[in-house]
Amino acid sequence: EDQVTQSPEALRLQEGESSSLNCSYTVSGLRGLFWYRQDPGKGPEFLFTLYSAGEEKEKERLKATLTKKESFLHITAPKPEDSATYLCAVQENSNYQLIWGAGTKLIIKP
Amino acid sequence: SAVISQKPSRDICQRGTSLTIQCQVDSQVTMMFWYRQQPGQSLTLIATANQGSEATYESGFVIDKFPISRPNLTFSTLTVSNMSPEDSSIYLCSVAPGTGEDTQYFGPGTRLTVL
């Protein structure tokens, strides 16, 4: 069965303390893996799309990487404004639908 | 990317009534999607709305409860019918531009509370 698992469920960090969020997936054929950020009461904000193992993308303090089984979202020297829920989703070949993980709630304390 | 707006942003409704949510995009898009996100949960796809065809509903969602319109390439509506408190959720519209890009972009959401 296709599934996406995110860990940890919640992560509390001090400002400046770098860490990583994990998204492991099981699909028959990966078309793309997507990372979104979601603030409370708002729609998901697109961050990255990754298509093949070994691919990396960066945006400010965030860096996403992809292997054949999982993706990591690395957060370097986070700030309180990075606090949000980070969602991972995968898309199978020949299927436009997204399979969503449950998200990781990230809290950055000043 | 695409800029997406939704109306209303939030509403409080009485049990048994219906609410229509509008989704407007600033460019023509092939595929539009409607999601529900219950408190503390991830996203659940309700249906896919393509212009010129009937919406495709996911398991557990039916047209009588969630009728959808897609009159053109920039607009769609979702109606939540005969509401009950269990329908209290955030309803999200998303689009896939369909220009070889698979990424879905989301609207700001409609927060619905049913009393």
Side-chain angles (χ1 to χ4, degrees):
Chain A
E1 180 184 347
D2 298 336
Q3 64 179 23
V4 177
T5 304
Q6 291 188 247
S7 61
E9 291 185 11
L11 181 61
R12 295 176 182 267
L13 300 172
Q14 288 294 138
E15 182 174 1
E17 180 184 1
S18 302
S19 188
S20 298
L21 312 182
N22 178 263
C23 172
S24 62
Y25 62 91
T26 306
V27 293
S28 55
L30 180 70
R31 180 180 178 89
L33 185 142
F34 306 86
W35 282 100
Y36 291 86
R37 167 195 171 125
Q38 187 174 30
D39 293 303
K42 297 187 178 181
E45 174 189 348
F46 169 70
L47 294 174
F48 304 109
T49 305
L50 301 168
Y51 290 105
S52 57
E55 189 175 1
E56 300 182 351
K57 288 192 176 175
E58 289 188 63
K59 178 181 180 180
E60 297 180 354
R61 294 178 292 280
L62 299 176
K63 178 180 176 180
T65 62
L66 180 65
T67 73
K68 289 184 178 180
K69 295 182 178 180
E70 59 191 349
S71 176
F72 290 95
L73 185 65
H74 306 278
I75 300 176
T76 302
K79 299 181 178 182
E81 53 262 40
D82 295 321
S83 297
T85 295
Y86 290 84
L87 297 168
C88 170
V90 301
Q91 187 179 48
E92 278 191 292
N93 287 328
S94 303
N95 189 341
Y96 55 79
Q97 291 187 21
L98 297 178
I99 305 167
W100 293 89
T104 293
K105 184 174 183 178
L106 178 65
I107 299 171
I108 308 299
K109 297 177 287 184
Chain B
S1 65
V3 177
I4 305 160
S5 60
Q6 285 185 235
K7 290 182 181 179
S9 58
R10 59 176 61 218
D11 207 342
I12 301 173
C13 301
Q14 295 298 319
R15 180 195 299 261
T17 63
S18 298
L19 176 72
T20 295
I21 302 167
Q22 299 179 7
C23 178
Q24 180 75 53
V25 190
D26 69 341
S27 59
Q28 294 184 343
V29 295
T30 303
M31 305 184 80
M32 296 182 79
F33 306 88
W34 286 99
Y35 288 86
R36 181 173 73 182
Q37 187 175 31
Q38 294 180 306
Q41 303 294 314
S42 192
L43 282 71
T44 301
L45 181 64
I46 297 172
T48 301
N50 291 335
Q51 195 265 338
S53 63
E54 295 289 324
T56 303
Y57 289 83
E58 298 303 307
S59 176
F61 298 96
V62 294
I63 188 172
D64 290 346
K65 175 69 175 177
F66 297 101
I68 288 171
S69 77
R70 180 80 198 274
N72 57 52
L73 292 173
T74 64
F75 187 78
S76 179
T77 67
L78 169 75
T79 299
V80 186
S81 303
N82 188 26
M83 289 184 286
S84 66
E86 292 72 35
D87 293 319
S88 297
S89 286
I90 295 175
Y91 290 85
L92 294 157
C93 166
S94 77
V95 304
T99 54
E101 181 181 9
D102 300 308
T103 301
Q104 288 187 26
Y105 298 94
F106 285 82
T110 296
R111 180 183 290 274
L112 172 61
T113 302
V114 184
L115 303 177

mmCIF file of all heavy atoms in Angstrom, chain A residues 61-82:
data_model
loop_
_atom_site.group_PDB
_atom_site.id
_atom_site.type_symbol
_atom_site.label_atom_id
_atom_site.label_comp_id
_atom_site.label_asym_id
_atom_site.label_seq_id
_atom_site.Cartn_x
_atom_site.Cartn_y
_atom_site.Cartn_z
ATOM 1 N N ARG A 61 16.913 29.126 4.720
ATOM 2 C CA ARG A 61 17.457 28.231 5.740
ATOM 3 C C ARG A 61 17.034 26.774 5.533
ATOM 4 O O ARG A 61 17.372 25.910 6.346
ATOM 5 C CB ARG A 61 16.998 28.706 7.122
ATOM 6 C CG ARG A 61 17.579 30.066 7.499
ATOM 7 C CD ARG A 61 17.052 30.522 8.850
ATOM 8 N NE ARG A 61 15.627 30.821 8.812
ATOM 9 C CZ ARG A 61 15.111 31.951 8.339
ATOM 10 N NH1 ARG A 61 15.917 32.879 7.866
ATOM 11 N NH2 ARG A 61 13.804 32.152 8.345
ATOM 12 N N LEU A 62 16.316 26.503 4.476
ATOM 13 C CA LEU A 62 15.787 25.161 4.219
ATOM 14 C C LEU A 62 16.521 24.485 3.068
ATOM 15 O O LEU A 62 16.826 25.114 2.056
ATOM 16 C CB LEU A 62 14.298 25.236 3.883
ATOM 17 C CG LEU A 62 13.384 25.816 4.946
ATOM 18 C CD1 LEU A 62 11.962 25.908 4.408
ATOM 19 C CD2 LEU A 62 13.416 24.993 6.213
ATOM 20 N N LYS A 63 16.739 23.189 3.247
ATOM 21 C CA LYS A 63 17.338 22.380 2.188
ATOM 22 C C LYS A 63 16.643 21.032 2.169
ATOM 23 O O LYS A 63 16.572 20.358 3.203
ATOM 24 C CB LYS A 63 18.830 22.176 2.427
ATOM 25 C CG LYS A 63 19.525 21.306 1.395
ATOM 26 C CD LYS A 63 20.999 21.172 1.747
ATOM 27 C CE LYS A 63 21.746 20.256 0.823
ATOM 28 N NZ LYS A 63 23.178 20.147 1.182
ATOM 29 N N ALA A 64 16.138 20.634 1.008
ATOM 30 C CA ALA A 64 15.445 19.360 0.865
ATOM 31 C C ALA A 64 16.302 18.408 0.041
ATOM 32 O O ALA A 64 16.893 18.801 -0.970
ATOM 33 C CB ALA A 64 14.095 19.558 0.184
ATOM 34 N N THR A 65 16.355 17.157 0.502
ATOM 35 C CA THR A 65 17.098 16.119 -0.201
ATOM 36 C C THR A 65 16.200 14.915 -0.418
ATOM 37 O O THR A 65 15.203 14.725 0.284
ATOM 38 C CB THR A 65 18.348 15.702 0.602
ATOM 39 O OG1 THR A 65 17.932 15.152 1.861
ATOM 40 C CG2 THR A 65 19.259 16.890 0.840
ATOM 41 N N LEU A 66 16.570 14.069 -1.380
ATOM 42 C CA LEU A 66 15.737 12.926 -1.739
ATOM 43 C C LEU A 66 16.593 11.691 -1.990
ATOM 44 O O LEU A 66 17.617 11.762 -2.678
ATOM 45 C CB LEU A 66 14.921 13.242 -2.996
ATOM 46 C CG LEU A 66 13.988 12.147 -3.502
ATOM 47 C CD1 LEU A 66 12.868 11.871 -2.492
ATOM 48 C CD2 LEU A 66 13.402 12.528 -4.857
ATOM 49 N N THR A 67 16.150 10.551 -1.401
ATOM 50 C CA THR A 67 16.709 9.251 -1.728
ATOM 51 C C THR A 67 15.575 8.396 -2.281
ATOM 52 O O THR A 67 14.458 8.871 -2.437
ATOM 53 C CB THR A 67 17.319 8.558 -0.495
ATOM 54 O OG1 THR A 67 16.255 8.111 0.366
ATOM 55 C CG2 THR A 67 18.237 9.499 0.270
ATOM 56 N N LYS A 68 15.852 7.131 -2.534
ATOM 57 C CA LYS A 68 14.817 6.267 -3.096
ATOM 58 C C LYS A 68 13.750 5.878 -2.076
ATOM 59 O O LYS A 68 12.703 5.336 -2.446
ATOM 60 C CB LYS A 68 15.453 5.010 -3.687
ATOM 61 C CG LYS A 68 16.240 5.298 -4.957
ATOM 62 C CD LYS A 68 16.768 4.023 -5.575
ATOM 63 C CE LYS A 68 17.502 4.335 -6.876
ATOM 64 N NZ LYS A 68 18.039 3.098 -7.528
ATOM 65 N N LYS A 69 14.014 6.157 -0.795
ATOM 66 C CA LYS A 69 13.057 5.756 0.235
ATOM 67 C C LYS A 69 12.545 6.907 1.080
ATOM 68 O O LYS A 69 11.538 6.767 1.769
ATOM 69 C CB LYS A 69 13.698 4.736 1.178
ATOM 70 C CG LYS A 69 14.070 3.423 0.544
ATOM 71 C CD LYS A 69 14.657 2.487 1.584
ATOM 72 C CE LYS A 69 15.007 1.132 0.982
ATOM 73 N NZ LYS A 69 15.588 0.212 1.993
ATOM 74 N N GLU A 70 13.277 8.037 1.080
ATOM 75 C CA GLU A 70 12.907 9.099 1.994
ATOM 76 C C GLU A 70 13.433 10.444 1.520
ATOM 77 O O GLU A 70 14.302 10.527 0.650
ATOM 78 C CB GLU A 70 13.419 8.795 3.403
ATOM 79 C CG GLU A 70 14.914 8.628 3.501
ATOM 80 C CD GLU A 70 15.364 8.061 4.851
ATOM 81 O OE1 GLU A 70 14.543 7.988 5.792
ATOM 82 O OE2 GLU A 70 16.532 7.683 4.960
ATOM 83 N N SER A 71 12.888 11.460 2.163
ATOM 84 C CA SER A 71 13.356 12.820 1.927
ATOM 85 C C SER A 71 13.597 13.467 3.277
ATOM 86 O O SER A 71 12.908 13.157 4.263
ATOM 87 C CB SER A 71 12.304 13.615 1.139
ATOM 88 O OG SER A 71 12.700 14.961 0.975
ATOM 89 N N PHE A 72 14.570 14.359 3.302
ATOM 90 C CA PHE A 72 14.844 15.128 4.509
ATOM 91 C C PHE A 72 14.678 16.605 4.197
ATOM 92 O O PHE A 72 15.048 17.087 3.129
ATOM 93 C CB PHE A 72 16.270 14.870 5.002
ATOM 94 C CG PHE A 72 16.481 13.492 5.561
ATOM 95 C CD1 PHE A 72 16.979 12.482 4.764
ATOM 96 C CD2 PHE A 72 16.170 13.210 6.875
ATOM 97 C CE1 PHE A 72 17.170 11.205 5.260
ATOM 98 C CE2 PHE A 72 16.353 11.934 7.387
ATOM 99 C CZ PHE A 72 16.853 10.939 6.582
ATOM 100 N N LEU A 73 14.125 17.298 5.177
ATOM 101 C CA LEU A 73 14.079 18.754 5.116
ATOM 102 C C LEU A 73 14.994 19.255 6.228
ATOM 103 O O LEU A 73 14.688 19.123 7.411
ATOM 104 C CB LEU A 73 12.650 19.268 5.308
ATOM 105 C CG LEU A 73 12.459 20.769 5.149
ATOM 106 C CD1 LEU A 73 12.758 21.211 3.726
ATOM 107 C CD2 LEU A 73 11.032 21.175 5.538
ATOM 108 N N HIS A 74 16.134 19.779 5.828
ATOM 109 C CA HIS A 74 17.121 20.265 6.785
ATOM 110 C C HIS A 74 16.862 21.747 7.060
ATOM 111 O O HIS A 74 16.688 22.532 6.114
ATOM 112 C CB HIS A 74 18.535 20.073 6.235
ATOM 113 C CG HIS A 74 18.838 18.678 5.799
ATOM 114 N ND1 HIS A 74 19.215 17.680 6.675
ATOM 115 C CD2 HIS A 74 18.800 18.104 4.566
ATOM 116 C CE1 HIS A 74 19.406 16.555 6.001
ATOM 117 N NE2 HIS A 74 19.170 16.779 4.724
ATOM 118 N N ILE A 75 16.884 22.090 8.330
ATOM 119 C CA ILE A 75 16.669 23.488 8.719
ATOM 120 C C ILE A 75 17.930 23.955 9.440
ATOM 121 O O ILE A 75 18.287 23.416 10.496
ATOM 122 C CB ILE A 75 15.439 23.623 9.619
ATOM 123 C CG1 ILE A 75 14.210 23.117 8.869
ATOM 124 C CG2 ILE A 75 15.252 25.061 10.039
ATOM 125 C CD1 ILE A 75 12.949 23.120 9.679
ATOM 126 N N THR A 76 18.571 24.953 8.860
ATOM 127 C CA THR A 76 19.836 25.453 9.395
ATOM 128 C C THR A 76 19.607 26.771 10.120
ATOM 129 O O THR A 76 18.998 27.687 9.580
ATOM 130 C CB THR A 76 20.845 25.666 8.259
ATOM 131 O OG1 THR A 76 21.038 24.436 7.561
ATOM 132 C CG2 THR A 76 22.177 26.154 8.801
ATOM 133 N N ALA A 77 20.094 26.817 11.362
ATOM 134 C CA ALA A 77 19.983 28.022 12.193
ATOM 135 C C ALA A 77 18.580 28.617 12.126
ATOM 136 O O ALA A 77 18.387 29.765 11.689
ATOM 137 C CB ALA A 77 21.024 29.052 11.778
ATOM 138 N N PRO A 78 17.555 27.848 12.523
ATOM 139 C CA PRO A 78 16.178 28.325 12.385
ATOM 140 C C PRO A 78 15.878 29.535 13.250
ATOM 141 O O PRO A 78 16.505 29.752 14.297
ATOM 142 C CB PRO A 78 15.346 27.110 12.818
ATOM 143 C CG PRO A 78 16.232 26.355 13.734
ATOM 144 C CD PRO A 78 17.610 26.513 13.176
ATOM 145 N N LYS A 79 14.874 30.283 12.797
ATOM 146 C CA LYS A 79 14.373 31.447 13.516
ATOM 147 C C LYS A 79 12.928 31.167 13.940
ATOM 148 O O LYS A 79 12.269 30.302 13.370
ATOM 149 C CB LYS A 79 14.442 32.683 12.625
ATOM 150 C CG LYS A 79 15.855 33.033 12.165
ATOM 151 C CD LYS A 79 15.845 34.282 11.299
ATOM 152 C CE LYS A 79 17.268 34.661 10.886
ATOM 153 N NZ LYS A 79 17.297 35.904 10.065
ATOM 154 N N PRO A 80 12.430 31.927 14.919
ATOM 155 C CA PRO A 80 11.039 31.700 15.358
ATOM 156 C C PRO A 80 10.027 31.730 14.212
ATOM 157 O O PRO A 80 9.031 30.999 14.252
ATOM 158 C CB PRO A 80 10.815 32.843 16.354
ATOM 159 C CG PRO A 80 12.163 33.101 16.921
ATOM 160 C CD PRO A 80 13.125 32.906 15.764
ATOM 161 N N GLU A 81 10.280 32.534 13.194
ATOM 162 C CA GLU A 81 9.334 32.610 12.072
ATOM 163 C C GLU A 81 9.311 31.344 11.215
ATOM 164 O O GLU A 81 8.463 31.197 10.325
ATOM 165 C CB GLU A 81 9.608 33.826 11.192
ATOM 166 C CG GLU A 81 11.025 33.945 10.692
ATOM 167 C CD GLU A 81 11.862 34.902 11.528
ATOM 168 O OE1 GLU A 81 11.707 34.867 12.784
ATOM 169 O OE2 GLU A 81 12.659 35.654 10.944
ATOM 170 N N ASP A 82 10.210 30.431 11.451
ATOM 171 C CA ASP A 82 10.182 29.138 10.769
ATOM 172 C C ASP A 82 9.201 28.169 11.420
ATOM 173 O O ASP A 82 8.976 27.071 10.904
ATOM 174 C CB ASP A 82 11.577 28.505 10.744
ATOM 175 C CG ASP A 82 12.568 29.298 9.919
ATOM 176 O OD1 ASP A 82 12.171 29.821 8.852
ATOM 177 O OD2 ASP A 82 13.739 29.428 10.336
#
